[in-house]
Amino acid sequence: MSQQTEDKGVNLPDPAEMAKTYAEVAQRASRIITQYMEKKAKDGVEAPADELGVAKAFMDLSARLMANPYKLAQTQMNMMWDYFSLWQGSMMKMMGMPGAAPVAAPKKGDNRFKDEEWEQHFLFDFMKQSYLIAARHIHDTVADTDGLDDATQQKVNFFTRQYIDALSPSNFAMTNPEVFRETVKSHGQNLIKGLNNLLHDVEAGDGQLRIRMTDTSAFEMGKNVATTPGKVIFQNELFQLIQYDPKTPDQYKKPFLIVPPWINKYYILDLREKNSLVNWATSQGHTTFIMSWVNPDEKLAQKSFENYLLEGSLEAINQVCAHTGEDSVNLAGYCLGGTLTMTTLAYMTAKKDKRANSATFFTTMLDFSEPGELGVFLDEGAVAGLEKKMAERGFLEGSEMAGTFNMLRANDLIWSFVVNNYLMGKDPFPFDLLYWNSDSTRMPAAMHSFYLRNMYLANKLKEPGGITLGGVKIDLSKVKTPCYFISTIEDHIAPWKSTYMGARLPSGPTKFVLGGSGHIAGIVNPPVANKYGYWTNDATDGNLPESPEDFLAGATQNAGSWWTHWDKWVTSLPGGSAKVPARQPDAGALKVIEAAPGSYVKFRLDTQKKD
């Protein structure tokens, strides 16, 4: 028997290796189940809460659908005709006859169906098209339901899409041709390895599934990510301040300070040398500083948005000016860091503090009237639920925030890894961007509650005097600092039309630029890549049109990266081209604490063992 097997060229799996894998799976599964049951018995089992109001939303949907049975019957009839056409075409394909055009085809960029057998094999093609037909009709039925309010409509649309994505035939072993081939080839070892990977991820998540997106062991902070040389020159409870080593013999006189979001780690702007914004800016002659926010625990539960302004962004400005001896800086804020930056400018304006020479905003929302799909997670019930969790721990757990963002792009950030890790049985590929994406951070309870309630829910930031911080009524309309807004056309976190409305709030000279791609790729877009391009509308500088549609209608598309466009803008401002001898981090007024990237950024939640 073994000779016949060898003659046929079939390589059976090593029995010893199989036994070892089975034993590891059994032991891990037993341990996880035991720990989970013990934990539940200790904590008490509570009925699942519906903080997002999903059940009510779908009850409303059902009532509206049943109220118009004729429309529902018409939809079912249309779907039946699509299936009839698909059956007819599939039979022709099975018999080798040239078939008609597909009834349903994946959208461009849908990587779920990239394997050639989805197209060539009639059975897999039938399953693919059958799924796409059902998905289209289900989605259209939900989206076209009359009588639902906007919030309910958005919820049923979003969670219907989650349901549709989850049921894709690409997510199941027997209906995914690539997984099917691997299962036959490896005699099912891929599924056993995949189960082991699944149990590993559940174990690492302390009973909750934490899908590994990359091999985190392949990266080391300061070695192959966050590599730009520099020094930490200041720190307090909230952040470390990094100054980067100069790369030119002289530098622009105005220092450049970046305020990143504290929802994520700063090194998205310093992944590798070739795509690092801080490395590029330093290479252009800017004395570049960046804030590295702390990953807070329960000790910082009462740190508020006001603390992040007074002890964070404003303190960073204080220290950069003290260290360099300059009287003003060029600021840049990314996403939530941009929201804080504009709030800081309004605070400084009220205090007649003129130390902001300019401000740049990467994908920043100031007007939250149209928050996009994030609005699904941000109504009164959802925020109250988050506040209850934060009250117990003192912070919002980083994995909860990360899970929300991943759901916005579930096929790319969830299901593709389910297929790779658990069905194909492969280890995740080392990828620096996904290493950063999995490096989640916590949110202090007081700060996050204020941010969600006053900005997302009540949208008070855009109202003059809508919020008060440090005894100052915040009024964005009084900010006259020259501003540069860069947003991205495919942004699913800070939709560009919303960021555009915010760009119209300050009263100083404002330039709005629309980049290609999305929230990350559109910002981390170095000139050397020569990708995506960007739109400008020079006729509107300083006086933006009322609507984003009007801006885009008169805009010109430019090739390359917005980075070079921004550099010309910031250095063309009054005094912007003046230079001084290169500034070394250890030659300023502040003492060096440690080398970049510093200790704050090195703390990762996914490497910490929970009690």
Side-chain angles (χ1 to χ4, degrees):
M1 177 65 118
S2 101
Q3 184 62 44
Q4 290 177 352
T5 300
E6 290 178 7
D7 291 343
K8 291 180 180 179
V10 178
N11 296 317
L12 293 175
D14 182 6
E17 186 66 26
M18 287 180 63
K20 179 181 177 182
T21 304
Y22 274 110
E24 186 176 349
V25 167
Q27 291 174 3
R28 178 169 274 145
S30 176
R31 181 169 64 251
I32 291 173
I33 292 172
T34 300
Q35 291 174 349
Y36 183 79
M37 295 304 293
E38 288 176 350
K39 185 177 180 180
K40 289 299 177 184
K42 179 181 178 181
D43 297 343
V45 179
E46 297 181 0
D50 184 25
E51 294 163 349
L52 297 178
V54 179
K56 181 181 183 302
F58 277 91
M59 287 294 290
D60 291 346
L61 172 69
S62 300
R64 297 292 180 180
L65 287 175
M66 297 308 295
N68 193 348
Y70 173 78
K71 185 176 180 180
L72 192 58
Q74 187 179 40
T75 299
Q76 292 172 332
M77 184 64 69
N78 291 338
M79 186 167 68
M80 185 188 73
W81 279 112
D82 280 347
Y83 276 126
F84 179 78
S85 299
L86 172 62
W87 180 258
Q88 187 179 42
S90 296
M91 289 301 100
M92 293 173 65
K93 192 169 187 175
M94 183 181 68
M95 293 184 287
M97 300 171 61
V103 180
K107 293 181 180 179
K108 184 179 179 180
D110 189 343
N111 292 322
R112 295 175 297 175
F113 304 106
K114 64 182 179 180
D115 189 278
E116 61 182 15
E117 287 207 50
W118 286 114
E119 183 75 26
Q120 296 178 1
H121 195 289
F122 86 93
L123 183 57
F124 287 114
D125 180 54
F126 177 83
M127 286 188 290
K128 174 192 69 179
Q129 290 198 60
S130 180
Y131 163 75
L132 292 174
I133 288 170
R136 182 177 68 203
H137 284 282
I138 291 171
H139 178 269
D140 289 350
T141 299
V142 168
D144 294 339
T145 302
D146 297 327
L148 295 177
D149 62 77
D150 291 343
T152 301
Q153 184 70 69
Q154 193 174 38
K155 283 181 183 179
V156 296
N157 286 351
F158 180 83
F159 286 103
T160 296
R161 193 180 82 225
Q162 301 302 312
Y163 171 77
I164 290 171
D165 290 346
L167 292 183
S168 170
S170 59
N171 296 336
F172 299 90
M174 299 306 292
T175 54
N176 183 322
E178 189 177 9
V179 177
F180 185 82
R181 287 196 306 271
E182 183 63 26
T183 303
V184 173
K185 177 182 176 182
S186 69
H187 302 276
Q189 279 298 289
N190 59 307
L191 299 179
I192 299 299
K193 290 179 180 177
L195 176 58
N196 202 28
N197 286 342
L198 173 64
L199 293 173
H200 174 278
D201 290 353
V202 172
E203 188 174 41
D206 194 33
Q208 301 293 323
L209 177 60
R210 180 188 291 161
I211 301 174
R212 282 181 297 162
M213 295 183 176
T214 188
D215 178 8
T216 56
S217 65
F219 299 96
E220 183 179 348
M221 208 76 67
K223 298 293 185 181
N224 50 9
V225 291
T227 58
T228 302
K231 300 291 189 295
V232 175
I233 58 170
F234 173 82
Q235 70 180 41
N236 61 18
E237 284 187 307
L238 288 182
F239 75 98
Q240 289 188 318
L241 181 64
I242 300 171
Q243 179 186 348
Y244 291 96
D245 295 346
K247 295 180 179 295
T248 53
D250 51 17
Q251 294 181 312
Y252 290 108
K253 194 171 187 294
K254 300 294 182 184
F256 177 42
L257 170 62
I258 303 174
V259 184
W262 54 97
I263 288 176
N264 306 107
K265 299 288 185 67
Y266 84 84
Y267 64 94
I268 186 60
L269 299 175
D270 187 31
L271 286 174
R272 291 164 290 151
E273 183 178 359
K274 68 179 183 179
N275 67 353
S276 167
L277 177 62
V278 297
N279 180 72
W280 181 87
T282 306
S283 298
Q284 304 311 301
H286 294 280
T287 309
T288 307
F289 297 80
I290 199 166
M291 299 174 69
S292 175
W293 296 102
V294 74
N295 204 333
D297 56 18
E298 64 278 0
K299 297 175 185 176
L300 301 180
Q302 297 308 312
K303 289 292 183 181
S304 63
F305 199 90
E306 178 176 294
N307 292 124
Y308 271 76
L309 190 160
L310 299 177
E311 301 169 27
S313 52
L314 189 63
E315 183 62 21
I317 294 171
N318 294 340
Q319 298 302 326
V320 169
C321 288
H323 188 61
T324 62
E326 295 298 328
D327 59 3
S328 65
V329 302
N330 291 316
L331 295 168
Y334 196 166
C335 191
L336 175 54
T339 307
L340 177 64
T341 299
M342 181 57 81
T343 308
T344 305
L345 290 179
Y347 178 90
M348 294 170 69
T349 299
K351 293 286 189 177
K352 302 187 184 308
D353 184 341
K354 298 181 179 181
R355 290 179 298 164
N357 183 64
S358 73
T360 301
F361 301 90
F362 309 158
T363 62
T364 295
M365 291 184 66
L366 305 173
D367 183 334
F368 292 79
S369 56
E370 295 182 17
E373 288 192 325
L374 276 178
V376 169
F377 301 92
L378 295 171
D379 58 17
E380 177 60 38
V383 172
L386 286 176
E387 288 176 330
K388 181 179 179 182
K389 292 178 182 178
M390 292 190 295
E392 295 171 355
R393 296 181 299 219
F395 54 83
L396 177 66
E397 188 60 70
S399 59
E400 295 172 356
M401 180 77 70
T404 297
F405 285 117
N406 289 343
M407 286 179 70
L408 299 179
R409 294 176 54 206
N411 284 328
D412 293 332
L413 296 178
I414 297 176
W415 296 113
S416 64
F417 296 103
V418 168
V419 173
N420 181 80
N421 300 3
Y422 308 147
L423 299 184
M424 294 296 290
K426 297 180 180 180
D427 291 326
F429 185 77
F431 186 22
D432 55 4
L433 179 59
L434 292 176
Y435 174 80
W436 168 84
N437 191 64
S438 63
D439 192 2
S440 58
T441 59
R442 301 176 178 132
M443 299 288 107
M447 182 285 303
H448 202 52
S449 178
F450 180 92
Y451 173 59
L452 294 180
R453 287 200 170 276
N454 288 278
M455 297 181 189
Y456 268 103
L457 286 189
N459 198 15
K460 291 182 178 180
L461 182 59
K462 74 168 188 174
E463 303 296 336
I467 62 174
T468 299
L469 297 170
V472 170
K473 291 186 179 297
I474 301 300
D475 187 351
L476 305 190
S477 68
K478 292 183 179 179
V479 173
K480 298 185 182 298
T481 304
C483 292
Y484 183 106
F485 285 80
I486 169 69
S487 297
T488 55
I489 198 166
E490 297 175 8
D491 198 330
H492 61 287
I493 294 173
W496 83 268
K497 293 183 179 180
S498 294
T499 63
Y500 181 87
M501 291 187 290
R504 299 184 72 246
L505 293 174
S507 55
T510 299
K511 182 176 283 290
F512 186 88
V513 177
L514 181 61
S517 195
H519 193 74
I520 301 300
I523 298 301
V524 185
N525 182 27
V528 67
N530 195 29
K531 294 171 66 176
Y532 306 132
Y534 57 95
W535 288 264
T536 56
N537 191 334
D538 294 338
T540 66
D541 285 354
N543 186 23
L544 297 180
E546 185 173 347
S547 74
E549 290 81 9
D550 289 341
F551 169 87
L552 190 57
T556 301
Q557 188 170 10
N558 307 273
S561 170
W562 64 268
W563 291 11
T564 54
H565 183 266
W566 167 83
D567 189 53
K568 291 178 182 178
W569 174 82
V570 75
T571 55
S572 69
L573 296 173
S577 60
K579 291 190 174 183
V580 296
R583 299 177 174 111
Q584 297 292 339
D586 59 0
L590 303 177
K591 293 183 179 180
V592 170
I593 297 173
E594 59 181 324
S599 55
Y600 283 16
V601 75
K602 293 181 179 180
F603 178 81
R604 285 183 67 97
L605 295 176
D606 56 7
T607 61
Q608 307 303 309
K609 291 295 183 182
K610 299 181 181 179
D611 295 331

